Amino acid sequence: MAEAAITASDGLWRQIRSEAQRAADADPVFGKALARAILAHDDFAAALADLIGQRLGSGTTGRTRFTSYSRDAFQGEPDLIETASRDLQAIALRDPAITDLLPPLLHYKGYVALQAWRVSNWLWRHDHHDAALLFQNEASNLLQISIHPAASIGSSVYLDHATGIVIGANVVIGDEVTILQNVSIGRRGELPTRSPRIGRGVYIGGGATILGDINIGEFAKIGAGAVVTGDVPAGCTAIGNPARLTNCPEPASAA
């Protein structure tokens, strides 16, 4: 399994390096930055660890610390790099504004925040809770995206625009989910403190709020500004505050 992951990420890395070399040849000034960020590294894991360190670290010591934690995570669990590859490819597939991999890797803060979360989750699962929460805190401060290390997030996930996204502890998010800016997903105030479960292929519009011990079914859509506190069946669209269901593939009760 690890061998397949390395092969996939190596192919993606070759494409990124090719894009970076073309961009550097076209713009020698920008090429200096690309040399440091991409061309100086041997593989995708090293470049991504350095990118996380540069975005979260303050000063040389901070950058070194976050880069080192990221390298440890990628070495300890190589599948994290395969997942990061899928996340990057998902942006290229779903964002009509781009066609290449290099721009979202370097410039989309939602992407780097998600990969920083993956490192924090690895730290959390290995009982390095203080370090994991440090990642969450710095991502919140510097990137305006707060994802608790105890959340669970699948692959091919796209945080589009991303500012203001808050994902609480124990939230479960499936593969191929798209989340826009200012989305909050977490528990409600009352006990038991269970969190939402978001199915595969769900689209969550900007400003939506999803709270409580609920299920959002596969390929459901949550409209911009919706407040969802009940289950949304697969394929349905939830809109409004409080949310109501529409466009369901078959009759369903209101959210």
Side-chain angles (χ1 to χ4, degrees), residues 8-17 19 38 44-45 47-48 51 80-95 98-115 118 154-159 176-177:
S9 63
D10 280 352
L12 176 133
W13 177 239
R14 285 193 294 272
Q15 182 178 343
I16 291 170
R17 283 186 62 90
E19 292 178 20
I38 303 296
F44 185 45
L48 185 56
L51 176 64
L80 291 175
I81 291 300
E82 169 67 5
T83 303
S85 302
R86 291 177 180 174
D87 292 336
L88 190 59
Q89 291 168 324
I91 299 174
L93 287 172
R94 294 181 216 159
D95 189 341
I98 65 161
T99 56
D100 295 328
L101 298 174
L102 186 62
L105 173 62
L106 294 180
H107 306 305
Y108 281 29
K109 70 176 183 178
Y111 178 76
V112 70
L114 180 58
Q115 306 322 311
R118 296 197 187 283
S155 66
S156 299
V157 171
Y158 178 22
L159 306 184
E176 301 172 25
V177 170

